[in-house]
Amino acid sequence: MRDSVLFSDGETAITPAHVMAAAAYWGALDPVDVAACHGLACVQQAVAEGIEVPGADLQAASERFRRAHGLRSAQATASWMAARGVSIEEFTDYLERHALAERTGAPTNSIDDVKDVSPEVLWAEAVFSGVGDRWTQRLATRMAVAREEAGSAGVPPSLFDTPEVEGCSPDALHAWLERLAVSASWAERVVILEATYARFASAVQTPAKMDGALRLQWDALVAFELEMGAFDTEAAAREACLCVTEDGATVSAVSAMARGHFQEGRVWLSELPEEIRAHALSAAEGALLPVFLWNEQQIVCRVLRKSEPSLTDGPTRKKVEDVVVEEASQSLLRRHISWPARGME
């Protein structure tokens, strides 16, 4: 991991350690550390209790992951991992940690007993959980913007006009830099990158751009408040659906009774599986959607509320802001960022 180069801006070669240090500043690394510690604690408990994961289960989990990421061959999988600085051994360890966590539940020993998770394990946890790509893209975008701004005539940003970031404390950040073997100068650079990016974002997020992006994204940004029960089989989901429609049971009660997983929350139309979107758009509030497949689970879903997109809604405005900045930064990424291995750009 330490020698892997994820991308370069022509001056600095960025490694996973650089990305994780930036994530620590953003306040995004701690949850990954907790997840990795929990997984390792479950492994320790499983070893002590003689619990093992059958090879067939690991193979099934591996195949689900590959399908979800469009990795249709061993060569495609190897290229995907090489682009991210992880190995097949780390992938197997990740799958085993999570499989054992499902089997053991809450470990009897505290996750605090798992000391100093290695940067390699942390990076593998980030990559295979999906956040590693988002962190890498976030950092690459900021570095591309900074490279572009360096060639402009504007006043360079400084530490005094840095926007507030929900990151960790200076002491915690220093501890992360030591664990990751990254210099303090990199943290200072990340601070300035954030200031540069904030100024760029403010400049491109004009009212006209925001309104235009909202119109283009209109259907995708219809918001739904949903309650969902997730089941392992279609038969179980359809039985739960009948209990809701015929017996008047709640989705949460049926989920608990049938050992389903209940969730309630907000999603945009674009986040739902494509085959269910038309049903969701036409559904009345309180209606039950047809059973559908989502993330390898069969879903029973009720629409609680629907709302049209509006820039006065905080989450929607943030989504549109991100779209506007992403569109404005794409040409800068192509101009200033190079990716040694294909699959990350």
Side-chain angles (χ1 to χ4, degrees), residues 246-267:
E246 301 294 331
D247 302 337
T250 64
V251 175
S252 60
V254 169
S255 298
M257 181 176 59
R259 296 185 178 181
H261 180 62
F262 178 76
Q263 296 182 75
E264 184 175 340
R266 169 176 168 150
V267 300

Side-chain angles (χ1 to χ4, degrees), residues 170-193:
D171 287 345
L173 181 58
H174 178 73
W176 271 121
L177 296 176
E178 287 192 343
R179 281 181 65 179
L180 299 170
V182 175
S183 69
S185 63
W186 172 246
E188 293 169 0
R189 184 174 176 187
V190 170
V191 171
I192 295 177
L193 288 174

